[in-house]
Amino acid sequence: MDILRFATAGSVDDGKSTLIGRLLYDSKSIFEDQLEAVEKTSADRGEEYTNLALLTDGLRAEREQGITIDVAYRYFATPRRKFIIADTPGHIQYTRNMVTGASTADLAIILVDARKGILEQSRRHAFLTTLLRVPHLVVAVNKMDLVDYSQEVFNSIKDEFTEFASKLQIGDLTFIPISALNGDNVVERSVNTPWYDGSSLLHHLEHVHIASDRNLVDVRFPVQYVIRPYKSTDPALHDYRGYAGQVAGGVLKPGDEVMHLPSGLSTRITHIEGPNGPVNEAYPPMAVTLRLADEIDISRGDMICRPNNQPKVAQDLDALVCWMSEARSLTPRSKLVLKHTTRTARAMVKDLHYQLDVNTLHRNEDATELKLNEIGRITLRVTQPLFIDDYGRNRLTGGFILIDEATNSTVAAGMITA
């Protein structure tokens, strides 16, 4: 079975945590003791119903305030597919958490309160998901039970969001009317929306096609580790040299001609080994070990690609970054550590071009710094060449993080615009 990673987003109190709790509950993916604990907590709080949002809101502050603060990851599976859920917060001050949760997602669910319609935070999160190149977007119009399951309300929100989405780069957009509290159209189709002829949310999640979302054209294999086992009693291991890593793009097969960067030397793949033995082909996001026909000096941080399809080699990077640090701000001449695929280098901010207002999409070209949760476009200079692609073409070779050298904390996430 393949794995679908999806993130929930939307405004505060739109029901993100409740929706995930309903998905877990109706798909029978929670244990009895978990349910009993949630029921007890709901009763202690004087609530007349089982508050399924408590399944994901685990922090004490989250339960006290009834909001999501940190990204909560949950896992469940159906007979068709495995799922990894990232429940992201809706508050503007937690934009960095939302960016973190959505950065690896195949699909994003943006919840909209049927009573309130499209809010500023709904637009912000829709923009952020397109900025992060999440391939599939589902707009779940929640709390339909509070508007008497009105088709007119649903169509009005659908039309308004479609108009807004025309300004963004959204590849796949789906609208589903739901009630997370009552379970309408979450796991099973609801009799309360006879006018809706689409699938339930879970059915859509099970059947959305994600295999073609990954870049299967550009071969990219960042080397993570060189395997040299030594065992004097086994002659086969005397000359063993394998290069381990995660396939970031393309399809690799034994016999394929490949090129090593930065040397530019070409060779052929002789064997591909997975966790359970030899494999006939490797593709994203498989973790494999490559064995090559020629002995080339290859080390961590190097790249294996095709001779006629190479990534861009650069030391000057143009990128959009989301600043995540409260302790310091990003300013021109800031010195940081950059981690890109398996390569780490020192970097300096050459220029801050503008700070982007994610609500209005306005570019503030007079900005002199980026503060917590702000997004802007910068130019970086790194100490050694990086093998990069545009983030829109490959999210793995087009993304990076920035690290504060003094504290070793991650201070920014970046998307290369090559």
Side-chain angles (χ1 to χ4, degrees):
M1 289 193 295
D2 62 352
I3 299 175
L4 175 74
R5 294 173 170 83
F6 70 92
T8 58
S11 187
V12 182
D13 293 331
D14 277 350
K16 298 182 291 297
S17 298
T18 303
L19 172 63
I20 293 176
R22 174 61 65 182
L23 270 173
L24 296 173
Y25 178 73
D26 284 1
S27 63
K28 298 178 174 57
S29 300
I30 56 174
F31 297 109
E32 287 185 13
D33 59 335
Q34 289 178 300
L35 183 59
E36 288 172 3
V38 169
E39 289 173 341
K40 183 180 184 301
T41 305
S42 301
D44 292 345
R45 291 169 49 158
E47 295 172 338
E48 297 177 356
Y49 60 91
T50 301
N51 188 347
L52 296 174
L54 298 175
L55 286 168
T56 54
D57 288 340
L59 298 178
R60 179 180 296 177
E62 292 178 320
R63 295 194 173 196
E64 288 175 352
Q65 300 178 53
I67 62 172
T68 300
I69 295 175
D70 199 4
V71 181
Y73 291 95
R74 292 295 179 269
Y75 311 89
F76 76 104
T78 67
R80 291 192 62 90
R81 182 172 269 173
K82 295 179 181 178
F83 300 94
I84 299 175
I85 315 170
D87 182 21
T88 66
H91 290 68
I92 186 171
Q93 63 263 43
Y94 303 124
T95 299
R96 59 178 174 175
N97 305 63
M98 189 269 169
V99 168
T100 301
S103 62
T104 57
D106 303 304
L107 179 146
I109 302 173
I110 295 184
L111 274 84
V112 176
D113 190 325
R115 301 167 301 169
K116 301 174 184 176
I118 308 295
L119 300 177
E120 185 178 277
Q121 282 170 299
S122 310
R123 299 174 188 272
R124 180 191 308 118
H125 285 182
F127 170 68
L128 288 172
T129 54
T130 57
L131 191 69
L132 293 163
R133 296 294 195 273
V134 180
H136 306 276
L137 190 61
V138 174
V139 177
V141 182
N142 192 23
K143 305 187 180 181
M144 289 296 295
D145 54 311
L146 300 182
V147 294
D148 296 324
Y149 300 96
S150 169
Q151 182 179 7
E152 289 72 25
V153 171
F154 175 74
N155 287 338
S156 174
I157 293 172
K158 181 179 179 179
D159 293 342
E160 183 181 355
F161 194 93
T162 301
E163 182 181 356
F164 170 71
S166 64
K167 306 171 188 175
L168 307 175
Q169 294 179 324
I170 300 178
D172 175 32
L173 181 60
T174 304
F175 294 87
I176 303 176
I178 66 168
S179 170
L181 188 63
N182 298 332
D184 294 291
N185 291 328
V186 177
V187 173
E188 303 289 343
R189 285 282 306 274
S190 174
V191 296
N192 295 315
T193 54
W195 42 266
Y196 171 67
D197 58 2
S199 64
S200 69
L201 177 61
L202 182 59
H203 184 274
H204 180 76
L205 295 176
E206 285 182 322
H207 291 83
V208 65
H209 185 65
I210 59 171
S212 59
D213 296 335
R214 298 186 176 94
N215 187 328
L216 300 177
V217 176
D218 307 320
V219 169
R220 303 288 185 265
F221 187 80
V223 177
Q224 183 175 351
Y225 188 71
V226 181
I227 299 176
R228 290 298 311 275
Y230 292 99
K231 190 175 182 182
S232 58
T233 58
D234 190 348
L237 295 181
H238 288 180
D239 300 318
Y240 186 100
R241 186 189 296 267
Y243 307 100
Q246 182 185 21
V247 182
V251 179
L252 293 164
K253 297 179 181 179
D256 285 353
E257 184 180 5
V258 291
M259 173 181 281
H260 165 251
L261 294 177
S263 71
L265 298 174
S266 295
T267 183
R268 290 190 177 276
I269 298 173
T270 58
H271 301 84
I272 302 178
E273 297 167 1
N276 299 315
V279 295
N280 294 324
E281 62 179 13
Y283 47 86
M286 289 175 62
V288 296
T289 299
L290 302 184
R291 296 179 62 187
L292 305 178
D294 302 292
E295 291 193 3
I296 301 174
D297 183 13
I298 300 176
S299 57
R300 177 183 172 86
D302 293 354
M303 179 76 73
I304 292 174
C305 60
R306 291 261 191 260
N308 57 352
N309 184 347
Q310 303 171 32
K312 183 179 177 182
V313 182
Q315 285 184 262
D316 291 305
L317 310 178
D318 280 325
L320 282 167
V321 295
C322 175
W323 192 250
M324 299 178 170
S325 174
E326 296 178 76
R328 60 179 292 189
S329 56
L330 180 146
T331 58
R333 313 296 294 178
S334 294
K335 294 181 180 179
L336 301 155
V337 173
L338 182 146
K339 188 175 187 308
H340 170 263
T341 60
T342 57
R343 177 163 284 206
T344 302
R346 288 195 170 126
M348 183 183 72
V349 180
K350 287 181 64 178
D351 198 8
L352 170 59
H353 300 290
Y354 58 79
Q355 183 252 326
L356 183 65
D357 187 328
V358 295
N359 300 320
T360 63
L361 307 187
H362 172 70
R363 298 179 177 182
N364 178 14
E365 297 182 355
D366 297 325
T368 58
E369 62 179 356
L370 290 181
K371 298 180 180 178
L372 175 65
N373 292 318
E374 291 184 340
I375 293 175
R377 182 158 186 170
I378 65 171
T379 299
L380 287 165
R381 175 75 174 180
V382 291
T383 55
Q384 55 180 297
L386 301 180
F387 313 115
I388 62 172
D389 293 293
D390 183 89
Y391 184 82
R393 188 166 182 86
N394 191 315
R395 292 165 77 185
L396 291 175
T397 55
F400 62 86
I401 60 172
L402 295 174
I403 301 168
D404 187 319
E405 202 168 12
T407 63
N408 206 34
S409 58
T410 301
V411 293
M415 294 150 281
I416 297 170
T417 53

